[in-house]
Amino acid sequence: MSHSPSASKGSVTREHILDRAYEMARRDGIEGLSLGSLAQGVGMSKSGVFAHFGSREDLQLAVLDVGRRRFSAQVFAPAMDKPRGLERLRFIVAAWFDWVRAAEGGCVLLTAVSEFDGRPGVLHEAVVSQQLEWRATLCKSIALAVDTGELRPDVDPGQFAFETYALVLGVHHDSGLFGYAQSASHAERAFNRLVDIYRSP
Amino acid sequence: MSHSPSASKGSVTREHILDRAYEMARRDGIEGLSLGSLAQGVGMSKSGVFAHFGSREDLQLAVLDVGRRRFSAQVFAPAMDKPRGLERLRFIVAAWFDWVRAAEGGCVLLTAVSEFDGRPGVLHEAVVSQQLEWRATLCKSIALAVDTGELRPDVDPGQFAFETYALVLGVHHDSGLFGYAQSASHAERAFNRLVDIYRSP
């Protein structure tokens, strides 16, 4: 594919606007985004920002997708270099805890769940589809550790994934109140016990 | 104590305003509260609402306290009729899951944690103190089940409470996306396993 200079300049500008929008959404949620304050934040006119996104909803969807791509790049993609099985699963969970630590002050993806889980619409669909995708990926990583023989065949990946997700939510919830170190230590202990329970003899 | 008719009328009005404010906070968070839209919601003048709360911050603190009182009345108080030990602990956890089901569309207390955990100030202090109080109560209920001999003496109540709290967060997170029944069933299964692990032989 070849890009004309103006198309690629437009795409750089779009990424710059999205970076700023993502930072704003970390603080105020995706529902807190407005084209007006975003335009002010990037020093452009409102119509200039509008030219890159057809509507506020398109902007919100794009910000959600930035979150998905960053999460995937930081938590999932590096794990693909690890051998499938328990090592990869442990790597994913550790990288996920790191994501929570870095997201201190606001995780766009988790905030989006509280914002849109009860509000039917395009954003609700996008959030549900994103969460389903991540849960399926997590289930698959668990199932691979069964395939390698490291976890017992009677593991229920959906149950295991729910419990792992719950621990991450516990870290997210507690770390802002009582500090990351204590919360992550509780969660690691619980995750290690979960693995030990289902580890093949 | 005797109340003059006007004082008790004032207190009824205050409770009425708080009920409305609590409903608004369920949807928009405590940061979403404004004296203006609240006045409109209860059909009073802004200065009429202002007369009951010295400031927006006082209103926010009062709404947080409504949440604390309702949570305590629905989750903790009824458990006090149960014998101390595992029966009471199980009752608390079941009532807590019910609270999450009823809070579908927004739990003021959980939203308050995301709103204020990273923002120093009076509301942050109030949220931390509320969460510390509830965690201490939960730890005590766990410790009582050790005292009755039902749980083993090597239970770490802080760890057990963290894991229980994480399961509740898992239900809260998943139920809006995938339905309450499936989420609660995962959480109950995990909680029962946790109890079984630490149950005295």
Side-chain angles (χ1 to χ4, degrees):
Chain A
M1 276 174 73
S2 75
H3 292 285
S4 71
S6 69
S8 90
K9 189 183 163 205
S11 133
V12 167
T13 308
R14 190 175 190 276
E15 285 306 309
H16 171 65
I17 299 172
L18 274 179
D19 275 351
R20 187 83 189 96
Y22 185 77
E23 286 311 312
M24 291 171 76
R26 276 169 57 102
R27 203 185 54 223
D28 303 322
I30 285 180
E31 271 297 89
L33 284 173
S34 83
L35 290 169
S37 56
L38 178 57
Q40 205 167 22
V42 290
M44 287 173 71
S45 69
K46 201 168 157 181
S47 61
V49 170
F50 198 76
H52 289 275
F53 306 93
S55 66
R56 178 169 171 264
E57 193 172 82
D58 284 348
L59 169 70
Q60 291 176 307
L61 287 167
V63 168
L64 198 59
D65 195 58
V66 171
R68 187 188 63 78
R69 282 186 280 136
R70 293 190 184 183
F71 183 82
S72 180
Q74 284 173 46
V75 176
F76 185 66
M80 291 301 96
D81 295 337
K82 303 289 161 190
R84 52 177 62 189
L86 215 42
E87 186 176 346
R88 186 183 293 177
L89 180 59
R90 284 189 185 282
F91 188 92
I92 288 173
V93 172
W96 201 358
F97 288 168
D98 279 347
W99 167 272
V100 171
R101 177 167 49 191
E104 208 173 327
C107 171
V108 168
L109 303 178
L110 279 184
T111 304
V113 173
S114 349
E115 288 177 312
F116 300 110
D117 63 356
R119 299 186 194 196
V122 175
L123 280 150
H124 174 86
E125 300 304 319
V127 167
V128 171
S129 128
Q130 198 174 68
Q131 292 290 330
L132 278 172
E133 184 192 8
W134 175 235
R135 195 66 61 97
T137 303
L138 193 56
C139 285
K140 194 178 167 195
S141 307
I142 294 160
L144 283 173
V146 176
D147 290 350
T148 59
E150 292 161 291
L151 293 181
R152 294 203 318 256
D154 65 336
V155 167
D156 173 346
Q159 175 73 25
F160 199 109
F162 172 86
E163 293 186 42
T164 305
Y165 207 121
L167 292 173
V168 172
L169 292 170
V171 176
H172 180 78
H173 178 272
D174 272 25
S175 58
L177 297 168
F178 313 133
Y180 175 83
Q182 178 193 312
S183 322
S185 149
H186 281 318
E188 277 159 19
R189 203 169 142 191
F191 181 73
N192 288 336
R193 177 170 5 84
L194 189 62
V195 168
D196 285 345
I197 289 169
Y198 288 107
R199 200 195 280 272
S200 296
Chain B
M1 275 176 76
S2 76
H3 293 285
S4 69
S6 70
S8 91
K9 190 182 164 207
S11 135
V12 168
T13 308
R14 190 175 190 276
E15 284 307 308
H16 171 64
I17 298 172
L18 275 178
D19 275 351
R20 188 82 191 97
Y22 185 78
E23 286 312 310
M24 291 170 76
R26 276 168 57 103
R27 203 186 54 223
D28 303 320
I30 285 180
E31 271 297 269
L33 284 173
S34 83
L35 290 169
S37 56
L38 178 56
Q40 206 167 23
V42 290
M44 287 172 71
S45 69
K46 202 168 156 180
S47 61
V49 170
F50 199 76
H52 289 275
F53 306 93
S55 64
R56 177 168 171 264
E57 192 173 81
D58 284 349
L59 169 69
Q60 291 176 307
L61 287 167
V63 169
L64 198 60
D65 196 58
V66 170
R68 187 188 62 77
R69 282 186 278 136
R70 293 191 184 182
F71 182 82
S72 180
Q74 284 174 45
V75 176
F76 184 66
M80 290 302 96
D81 295 337
K82 303 287 162 193
R84 52 177 63 188
L86 215 42
E87 186 177 345
R88 186 182 291 175
L89 180 60
R90 284 190 187 282
F91 188 93
I92 288 173
V93 172
W96 200 0
F97 288 169
D98 279 347
W99 167 272
V100 171
R101 175 167 49 189
E104 208 173 326
C107 171
V108 169
L109 303 179
L110 279 184
T111 305
V113 172
S114 352
E115 288 177 312
F116 300 109
D117 63 356
R119 299 186 195 197
V122 174
L123 280 150
H124 174 86
E125 300 303 318
V127 167
V128 171
S129 130
Q130 197 174 69
Q131 293 289 330
L132 278 172
E133 184 192 8
W134 174 235
R135 196 65 60 96
T137 302
L138 193 57
C139 285
K140 195 180 167 192
S141 308
I142 295 159
L144 283 173
V146 176
D147 290 349
T148 59
E150 292 161 290
L151 293 182
R152 294 202 318 256
D154 66 335
V155 167
D156 173 345
Q159 174 73 25
F160 198 110
F162 172 87
E163 292 186 43
T164 305
Y165 207 121
L167 292 173
V168 172
L169 292 170
V171 176
H172 180 79
H173 178 271
D174 272 24
S175 57
L177 297 168
F178 313 132
Y180 175 83
Q182 179 193 311
S183 322
S185 149
H186 281 318
E188 277 158 19
R189 203 169 142 192
F191 181 72
N192 288 336
R193 177 170 6 83
L194 189 60
V195 168
D196 286 346
I197 289 169
Y198 287 109
R199 201 196 281 272
S200 295

